[in-house]
Short mmCIF file of all heavy atoms in Angstrom, two decimals:
data_model
loop_
_atom_site.label_atom_id
_atom_site.label_comp_id
_atom_site.label_asym_id
_atom_site.label_seq_id
_atom_site.Cartn_x
_atom_site.Cartn_y
_atom_site.Cartn_z
N ILE W 208 98.96 103.77 98.81
CA ILE W 208 98.04 104.14 99.88
C ILE W 208 96.84 104.77 99.19
O ILE W 208 95.61 104.37 99.58
CB ILE W 208 98.68 105.23 100.77
CG1 ILE W 208 99.85 104.58 101.58
CG2 ILE W 208 97.73 105.86 101.69
CD1 ILE W 208 100.65 105.66 102.24
N HIS W 209 96.96 105.68 98.30
CA HIS W 209 95.79 106.33 97.67
C HIS W 209 94.91 105.35 96.92
O HIS W 209 93.72 105.38 96.98
CB HIS W 209 96.27 107.45 96.81
CG HIS W 209 96.72 108.76 97.57
ND1 HIS W 209 97.91 108.78 98.23
CD2 HIS W 209 96.06 109.94 97.71
CE1 HIS W 209 97.91 109.96 98.91
NE2 HIS W 209 96.83 110.63 98.50
N SER W 210 95.54 104.51 96.07
CA SER W 210 94.73 103.64 95.31
C SER W 210 94.17 102.50 96.11
O SER W 210 93.13 102.02 95.87
CB SER W 210 95.52 103.02 94.16
OG SER W 210 96.70 102.26 94.54
N GLY W 211 94.97 102.06 97.07
CA GLY W 211 94.41 100.97 97.95
C GLY W 211 93.26 101.37 98.85
O GLY W 211 92.24 100.70 98.93
N LEU W 212 93.41 102.57 99.48
CA LEU W 212 92.32 103.07 100.45
C LEU W 212 91.02 103.24 99.55
O LEU W 212 89.92 103.01 100.02
CB LEU W 212 92.74 104.29 101.04
CG LEU W 212 93.67 104.19 102.31
CD1 LEU W 212 94.07 105.55 102.82
CD2 LEU W 212 93.05 103.38 103.40
N THR W 213 91.16 103.87 98.42
CA THR W 213 90.01 104.36 97.65
C THR W 213 89.34 103.16 96.83
O THR W 213 88.34 103.30 96.33
CB THR W 213 90.34 105.46 96.75
OG1 THR W 213 91.44 105.11 95.85
CG2 THR W 213 90.70 106.76 97.43
N THR W 214 89.97 101.98 96.87
CA THR W 214 89.28 100.90 96.24
C THR W 214 88.98 99.77 97.21
O THR W 214 88.48 98.71 96.87
CB THR W 214 90.31 100.26 95.19
OG1 THR W 214 91.52 99.89 95.82
CG2 THR W 214 90.52 101.05 93.92
N GLY W 215 89.05 100.13 98.56
CA GLY W 215 88.69 99.22 99.54
C GLY W 215 89.55 97.97 99.67
O GLY W 215 89.03 96.85 99.88
N ALA W 216 90.81 98.16 99.51
CA ALA W 216 91.85 96.98 99.52
C ALA W 216 91.74 96.47 100.95
O ALA W 216 91.67 97.07 101.91
CB ALA W 216 93.25 97.48 99.12
N ASP W 217 91.94 95.10 100.96
CA ASP W 217 92.10 94.41 102.27
C ASP W 217 93.41 94.47 103.07
O ASP W 217 93.50 94.57 104.15
CB ASP W 217 91.76 92.96 102.12
CG ASP W 217 90.21 92.77 101.58
OD1 ASP W 217 89.32 92.96 102.40
OD2 ASP W 217 90.09 92.44 100.35
N ALA W 218 94.43 94.75 102.20
CA ALA W 218 95.75 94.99 102.73
C ALA W 218 96.44 95.97 101.76
O ALA W 218 96.42 95.88 100.60
CB ALA W 218 96.52 93.72 103.01
N ILE W 219 97.21 96.83 102.42
CA ILE W 219 98.03 97.83 101.59
C ILE W 219 99.47 97.73 102.13
O ILE W 219 99.68 97.98 103.33
CB ILE W 219 97.52 99.23 101.75
CG1 ILE W 219 96.08 99.31 101.25
CG2 ILE W 219 98.36 100.26 100.95
CD1 ILE W 219 95.24 100.53 101.62
N LEU W 220 100.36 97.42 101.27
CA LEU W 220 101.75 97.17 101.71
C LEU W 220 102.71 98.28 101.04
O LEU W 220 102.70 98.44 99.85
CB LEU W 220 102.35 95.74 101.25
CG LEU W 220 101.36 94.61 101.64
CD1 LEU W 220 101.88 93.34 101.15
CD2 LEU W 220 101.04 94.48 103.15
N ILE W 221 103.42 98.96 101.92
CA ILE W 221 104.15 100.09 101.42
C ILE W 221 105.61 99.95 101.89
O ILE W 221 105.87 99.40 102.90
CB ILE W 221 103.61 101.51 101.88
CG1 ILE W 221 103.48 101.53 103.33
CG2 ILE W 221 102.24 101.73 101.19
CD1 ILE W 221 103.25 102.93 103.93
N PRO W 222 106.53 100.59 101.19
CA PRO W 222 107.97 100.37 101.59
C PRO W 222 108.27 101.03 102.93
O PRO W 222 109.11 100.53 103.61
CB PRO W 222 108.70 101.17 100.46
CG PRO W 222 107.77 101.45 99.39
CD PRO W 222 106.35 101.27 99.93
N GLU W 223 107.54 102.15 103.28
CA GLU W 223 107.86 102.93 104.39
C GLU W 223 107.51 102.20 105.73
O GLU W 223 108.03 102.57 106.83
CB GLU W 223 107.17 104.26 104.34
CG GLU W 223 107.56 105.24 103.19
CD GLU W 223 106.68 104.97 101.97
OE1 GLU W 223 106.00 103.89 101.79
OE2 GLU W 223 106.68 105.99 101.17
N SER W 224 106.58 101.30 105.71
CA SER W 224 106.05 100.73 106.95
C SER W 224 107.00 99.84 107.60
O SER W 224 107.19 99.90 108.93
CB SER W 224 104.64 100.06 106.74
OG SER W 224 104.94 98.79 106.38
N GLY W 225 107.75 99.04 107.02
CA GLY W 225 108.61 98.05 107.54
C GLY W 225 108.11 96.97 108.43
O GLY W 225 108.78 96.32 109.04
N LYS W 226 106.79 96.83 108.53
CA LYS W 226 106.17 95.84 109.30
C LYS W 226 105.11 95.14 108.53
O LYS W 226 104.16 94.65 109.05
CB LYS W 226 105.61 96.41 110.63
CG LYS W 226 104.71 97.50 110.49
CD LYS W 226 104.25 98.12 111.89
CE LYS W 226 103.34 99.24 111.61
NZ LYS W 226 102.92 99.95 112.75
N ASP W 227 105.26 95.08 107.18
CA ASP W 227 104.17 94.56 106.37
C ASP W 227 103.96 92.95 106.56
O ASP W 227 102.79 92.48 106.36
CB ASP W 227 104.58 94.73 104.91
CG ASP W 227 104.32 96.21 104.53
OD1 ASP W 227 103.63 96.90 105.26
OD2 ASP W 227 104.84 96.69 103.59
N PHE W 228 105.03 92.31 106.87
CA PHE W 228 104.85 90.82 106.98
C PHE W 228 103.89 90.47 108.14
O PHE W 228 103.01 89.64 107.89
CB PHE W 228 106.32 90.23 107.29
CG PHE W 228 106.24 88.73 107.28
CD1 PHE W 228 105.61 88.02 106.25
CD2 PHE W 228 106.86 88.02 108.28
CE1 PHE W 228 105.59 86.70 106.26
CE2 PHE W 228 106.85 86.66 108.29
CZ PHE W 228 106.17 85.94 107.27
N ILE W 229 104.09 91.08 109.32
CA ILE W 229 103.26 90.71 110.41
C ILE W 229 101.77 91.14 110.11
O ILE W 229 100.83 90.38 110.38
CB ILE W 229 103.73 91.39 111.76
CG1 ILE W 229 105.16 91.07 111.87
CG2 ILE W 229 102.80 91.15 112.93
CD1 ILE W 229 105.87 92.04 112.80
N TYR W 230 101.66 92.27 109.51
CA TYR W 230 100.43 92.81 109.13
C TYR W 230 99.66 91.89 108.26
O TYR W 230 98.46 91.47 108.46
CB TYR W 230 100.58 94.27 108.60
CG TYR W 230 99.51 94.79 107.81
CD1 TYR W 230 98.31 95.29 108.47
CD2 TYR W 230 99.61 95.05 106.46
CE1 TYR W 230 97.29 95.79 107.78
CE2 TYR W 230 98.60 95.69 105.73
CZ TYR W 230 97.40 96.10 106.43
OH TYR W 230 96.43 96.65 105.69
N LEU W 231 100.42 91.49 107.21
CA LEU W 231 99.80 90.53 106.21
C LEU W 231 99.34 89.33 106.79
O LEU W 231 98.18 88.73 106.55
CB LEU W 231 100.85 90.27 105.10
CG LEU W 231 100.34 89.51 103.91
CD1 LEU W 231 99.26 90.23 103.07
CD2 LEU W 231 101.41 89.00 103.09
N LEU W 232 100.18 88.66 107.73
CA LEU W 232 99.82 87.38 108.29
C LEU W 232 98.52 87.53 109.16
O LEU W 232 97.63 86.74 109.03
CB LEU W 232 100.93 86.97 109.26
CG LEU W 232 102.19 86.46 108.58
CD1 LEU W 232 103.17 85.92 109.72
CD2 LEU W 232 101.91 85.33 107.51
N ASN W 233 98.46 88.67 109.81
CA ASN W 233 97.16 88.88 110.55
C ASN W 233 95.93 89.01 109.76
O ASN W 233 94.86 88.57 110.03
CB ASN W 233 97.30 90.14 111.47
CG ASN W 233 98.18 89.88 112.67
OD1 ASN W 233 98.23 88.73 113.18
ND2 ASN W 233 98.89 90.91 113.12
N LYS W 234 96.19 89.67 108.56
CA LYS W 234 95.04 89.87 107.69
C LYS W 234 94.61 88.61 106.99
O LYS W 234 93.46 88.31 106.79
CB LYS W 234 95.38 90.93 106.60
CG LYS W 234 95.60 92.27 107.00
CD LYS W 234 94.36 93.03 107.53
CE LYS W 234 93.39 93.27 106.40
NZ LYS W 234 92.23 94.11 106.94
N VAL W 235 95.55 87.73 106.68
CA VAL W 235 95.25 86.59 105.87
C VAL W 235 94.78 85.37 106.66
O VAL W 235 93.96 84.53 106.22
CB VAL W 235 96.45 86.17 105.03
CG1 VAL W 235 96.35 84.87 104.28
CG2 VAL W 235 96.66 87.24 103.93
N LYS W 236 95.11 85.34 107.94
CA LYS W 236 94.87 84.17 108.71
C LYS W 236 93.45 83.77 108.85
O LYS W 236 93.11 82.58 108.84
CB LYS W 236 95.56 84.15 110.06
CG LYS W 236 95.03 85.15 111.04
CD LYS W 236 95.75 85.11 112.39
CE LYS W 236 95.14 86.04 113.31
NZ LYS W 236 96.00 86.61 114.25
N ASN W 237 92.53 84.74 108.75
CA ASN W 237 91.16 84.45 108.76
C ASN W 237 90.35 84.32 107.45
O ASN W 237 89.23 84.13 107.41
CB ASN W 237 90.38 85.50 109.69
CG ASN W 237 90.82 85.51 111.00
OD1 ASN W 237 91.22 84.53 111.60
ND2 ASN W 237 91.01 86.75 111.65
N TYR W 238 91.19 84.34 106.38
CA TYR W 238 90.57 84.33 105.06
C TYR W 238 90.05 82.90 104.86
O TYR W 238 90.66 81.87 105.04
CB TYR W 238 91.61 84.66 103.97
CG TYR W 238 91.05 84.54 102.63
CD1 TYR W 238 90.12 85.52 102.17
CD2 TYR W 238 91.47 83.49 101.75
CE1 TYR W 238 89.68 85.45 100.88
CE2 TYR W 238 91.01 83.51 100.45
CZ TYR W 238 89.99 84.45 100.09
OH TYR W 238 89.48 84.38 98.78
N ASN W 239 88.85 82.81 104.28
CA ASN W 239 88.08 81.51 104.32
C ASN W 239 87.90 81.01 102.80
O ASN W 239 87.05 80.13 102.55
CB ASN W 239 86.82 81.58 105.03
CG ASN W 239 85.85 82.68 104.49
OD1 ASN W 239 86.15 83.30 103.45
ND2 ASN W 239 84.90 82.95 105.18
N ASN W 240 88.47 81.62 101.76
CA ASN W 240 88.20 81.35 100.39
C ASN W 240 86.79 81.58 99.86
O ASN W 240 86.53 81.10 98.88
CB ASN W 240 88.57 79.83 100.10
CG ASN W 240 90.00 79.43 100.43
OD1 ASN W 240 90.81 80.35 100.61
ND2 ASN W 240 90.25 78.22 100.51
N GLU W 241 86.04 82.33 100.72
CA GLU W 241 84.64 82.49 100.30
C GLU W 241 84.31 83.92 99.89
O GLU W 241 83.18 84.40 99.91
CB GLU W 241 83.65 81.98 101.39
CG GLU W 241 83.66 80.38 101.33
CD GLU W 241 82.79 79.83 102.42
OE1 GLU W 241 82.14 80.55 103.06
OE2 GLU W 241 82.93 78.66 102.59
N GLU W 242 85.35 84.71 99.68
CA GLU W 242 85.16 86.08 99.20
C GLU W 242 86.45 86.54 98.56
O GLU W 242 87.47 85.81 98.61
CB GLU W 242 84.89 86.99 100.54
CG GLU W 242 85.93 86.92 101.44
CD GLU W 242 85.49 87.62 102.83
OE1 GLU W 242 84.56 88.39 102.83
OE2 GLU W 242 86.27 87.43 103.71
N ALA W 243 86.20 87.66 97.94
CA ALA W 243 87.53 88.19 97.23
C ALA W 243 88.49 88.87 98.34
O ALA W 243 87.94 89.23 99.39
CB ALA W 243 87.09 89.33 96.27
N PHE W 244 89.64 88.92 98.00
CA PHE W 244 90.58 89.54 99.02
C PHE W 244 91.65 90.29 98.14
O PHE W 244 92.34 89.78 97.28
CB PHE W 244 91.29 88.47 99.79
CG PHE W 244 92.16 89.02 101.02
CD1 PHE W 244 91.56 89.15 102.14
CD2 PHE W 244 93.46 89.32 100.78
CE1 PHE W 244 92.33 89.68 103.24
CE2 PHE W 244 94.24 89.76 101.81
CZ PHE W 244 93.67 89.93 103.07
N LEU W 245 91.76 91.64 98.36
CA LEU W 245 92.64 92.43 97.52
C LEU W 245 93.75 93.02 98.31
O LEU W 245 93.62 93.61 99.32
CB LEU W 245 91.73 93.58 96.95
CG LEU W 245 92.52 94.62 96.15
CD1 LEU W 245 93.05 94.12 94.86
CD2 LEU W 245 91.48 95.84 95.93
N VAL W 246 94.90 92.67 97.75
CA VAL W 246 96.12 93.26 98.40
C VAL W 246 96.81 94.25 97.29
O VAL W 246 97.09 93.89 96.23
CB VAL W 246 97.23 92.13 98.61
CG1 VAL W 246 98.48 92.74 99.23
CG2 VAL W 246 96.69 91.10 99.50
N VAL W 247 96.94 95.51 97.77
CA VAL W 247 97.67 96.51 96.89
C VAL W 247 99.09 96.58 97.43
O VAL W 247 99.23 96.92 98.73
CB VAL W 247 96.97 97.77 96.88
CG1 VAL W 247 97.80 98.83 96.18
CG2 VAL W 247 95.53 97.66 96.20
N VAL W 248 100.08 96.31 96.62
CA VAL W 248 101.50 96.37 97.08
C VAL W 248 102.19 97.29 96.23
O VAL W 248 102.10 97.30 95.03
CB VAL W 248 102.12 94.93 97.21
CG1 VAL W 248 101.91 94.17 95.78
CG2 VAL W 248 103.48 94.95 97.63
N SER W 249 102.96 98.19 96.96
CA SER W 249 103.82 99.09 96.16
C SER W 249 105.00 98.42 95.62
O SER W 249 105.62 97.42 96.26
CB SER W 249 104.33 100.17 97.15
OG SER W 249 105.06 101.18 96.51
N GLU W 250 105.51 98.73 94.49
CA GLU W 250 106.62 98.00 93.76
C GLU W 250 107.85 98.07 94.67
O GLU W 250 108.73 97.15 94.50
CB GLU W 250 106.88 98.64 92.37
CG GLU W 250 107.42 100.10 92.43
CD GLU W 250 107.71 100.62 91.12
OE1 GLU W 250 107.93 99.86 90.10
OE2 GLU W 250 107.81 101.86 90.94
N GLY W 251 107.98 99.11 95.53
CA GLY W 251 109.27 99.22 96.31
C GLY W 251 109.14 98.49 97.70
O GLY W 251 110.04 98.58 98.49
N ASP W 252 107.92 97.87 97.86
CA ASP W 252 107.71 97.21 99.27
C ASP W 252 108.75 96.10 99.42
O ASP W 252 109.14 95.39 98.49
CB ASP W 252 106.39 96.61 99.41
CG ASP W 252 106.03 95.92 100.67
OD1 ASP W 252 105.94 96.71 101.68
OD2 ASP W 252 106.05 94.83 100.69
N GLU W 253 109.26 95.88 100.63
CA GLU W 253 110.25 94.85 100.92
C GLU W 253 109.81 93.53 100.66
O GLU W 253 110.66 92.50 100.33
CB GLU W 253 110.77 95.02 102.32
CG GLU W 253 109.89 94.68 103.47
CD GLU W 253 108.90 95.65 103.90
OE1 GLU W 253 108.77 96.70 103.24
OE2 GLU W 253 108.15 95.41 104.85
N LEU W 254 108.53 93.16 100.80
CA LEU W 254 108.00 91.83 100.45
C LEU W 254 107.88 91.62 98.97
O LEU W 254 108.37 90.62 98.40
CB LEU W 254 106.71 91.66 101.11
CG LEU W 254 106.63 91.53 102.65
CD1 LEU W 254 105.25 91.30 103.10
CD2 LEU W 254 107.62 90.41 103.19
N GLY W 255 107.30 92.64 98.25
CA GLY W 255 107.14 92.34 96.88
C GLY W 255 105.99 91.39 96.46
O GLY W 255 105.60 90.52 97.32
N ALA W 256 105.36 91.49 95.33
CA ALA W 256 104.20 90.70 95.03
C ALA W 256 104.46 89.16 95.03
O ALA W 256 103.60 88.35 95.58
CB ALA W 256 103.65 91.05 93.56
N GLU W 257 105.57 88.68 94.57
CA GLU W 257 105.83 87.20 94.56
C GLU W 257 105.86 86.66 95.98
O GLU W 257 105.30 85.61 96.34
CB GLU W 257 107.11 86.86 93.81
CG GLU W 257 107.15 87.30 92.37
CD GLU W 257 106.26 86.46 91.50
OE1 GLU W 257 105.86 85.37 92.05
OE2 GLU W 257 105.98 86.79 90.36
N LEU W 258 106.66 87.44 96.81
CA LEU W 258 106.82 86.85 98.22
C LEU W 258 105.51 86.96 98.93
O LEU W 258 105.27 85.99 99.70
CB LEU W 258 107.84 87.77 98.84
CG LEU W 258 108.53 87.19 100.17
CD1 LEU W 258 109.10 85.87 99.81
CD2 LEU W 258 109.58 88.15 100.74
#
Side-chain angles (χ1 to χ4, degrees):
I208 295 172
H209 282 69
S210 59
L212 283 175
T213 54
T214 53
D217 298 286
I219 301 167
L220 311 181
I221 57 166
E223 295 89 341
S224 82
K226 52 182 180 186
D227 286 341
F228 184 48
I229 305 159
Y230 165 67
L231 183 70
L232 289 185
N233 282 333
K234 291 293 294 188
V235 169
K236 69 181 179 212
N237 297 324
Y238 179 71
N239 58 10
N240 298 346
E241 283 173 16
E242 57 190 349
F244 190 91
L245 175 66
V246 182
V247 172
V248 54
S249 180
E250 64 179 344
D252 181 71
E253 70 279 9
L254 291 181
E257 297 290 344
L258 197 58

